[in-house]
Amino acid sequence: MKENYFQLLEHIQIVRRLWRARRIMEGGLITAALGLAAAVLFTLMDQLASFGYSARWMLALLLWLVFFAAAYRYIFRPLLAKHSDDFFAALMESRIPVLGNRLINALQLGRETSPAAPKLVAAIVAEGLHAAGDTDPAPAITTVVLRRNVVALVV
């Protein structure tokens, strides 16, 4: 039973890695867009107002502040967020309806050290592993926001 449970956890880790990579790409695109927008705005302000030397330093400092704040908000915070295995199992089950509740049931029951009905739990974990093995985890991670951010940055 434990071997099946560890294999099930490996499937969840694949979804975790895909989700984290997508969040980093989304955050990088948003950060780049905000940095580019701030640079264009500050350049336009400098051209229109003809700022002096110290005001340009302040604009440059503000530009870097916007960039680092966006990087912290959209890249580093999602990286540091800790989500449980149940979160990723629920994510897979919500996006891949074929799984039903088999994945999260297998995760939660397989986690117990001494279940009341070990054969039943072993069968549920084996069924969850079989269901996870038959499905591709990529559809669980949507890329709609990522595509929208790419289009927004290009435009």
Side-chain angles (χ1 to χ4, degrees):
M1 179 182 89
K2 287 298 179 187
E3 181 180 320
N4 287 343
Y5 182 70
F6 291 131
Q7 289 176 356
L8 187 62
L9 286 178
E10 289 175 15
H11 286 286
I12 296 297
Q13 290 297 347
I14 292 169
V15 175
R16 184 186 306 267
R17 283 192 296 271
L18 289 171
W19 183 82
R20 185 168 282 180
R22 181 195 54 118
R23 292 293 298 221
I24 291 171
M25 287 187 282
E26 285 177 5
L29 288 170
I30 292 172
T31 301
L34 287 174
L36 186 63
V40 168
L41 178 69
F42 295 156
T43 303
L44 181 65
M45 287 172 51
D46 183 43
Q47 292 297 317
L48 292 176
S50 297
F51 290 130
Y53 183 73
S54 61
R56 286 184 179 151
W57 271 104
M58 292 301 289
L59 284 176
L61 182 64
L62 191 59
L63 174 68
W64 284 106
L65 184 66
V66 166
F67 178 75
F68 285 123
Y72 173 74
R73 167 67 176 91
Y74 295 110
I75 297 174
F76 297 119
R77 273 185 52 194
L79 270 180
L80 298 175
K82 300 292 181 200
H83 293 289
S84 67
D85 295 333
D86 294 344
F87 170 81
F88 294 105
L91 181 69
M92 280 186 73
E93 289 176 352
S94 68
R95 304 271 168 76
I96 305 171
V98 174
L99 290 174
N101 284 335
R102 292 181 286 179
L103 194 58
I104 199 157
N105 289 343
L107 269 176
Q108 290 176 347
L109 290 173
R111 194 177 294 143
E112 295 180 18
T113 55
S114 57
K119 290 182 181 179
L120 178 64
V121 171
I124 291 173
V125 170
E127 182 185 1
L129 177 63
H130 180 70
D134 289 345
T135 59
D136 180 26
I141 309 299
T142 61
T143 57
V144 175
V145 176
L146 183 62
R147 279 187 244 137
R148 183 178 62 218
N149 290 344
V150 167
V151 169
L153 186 63
V154 170
V155 171

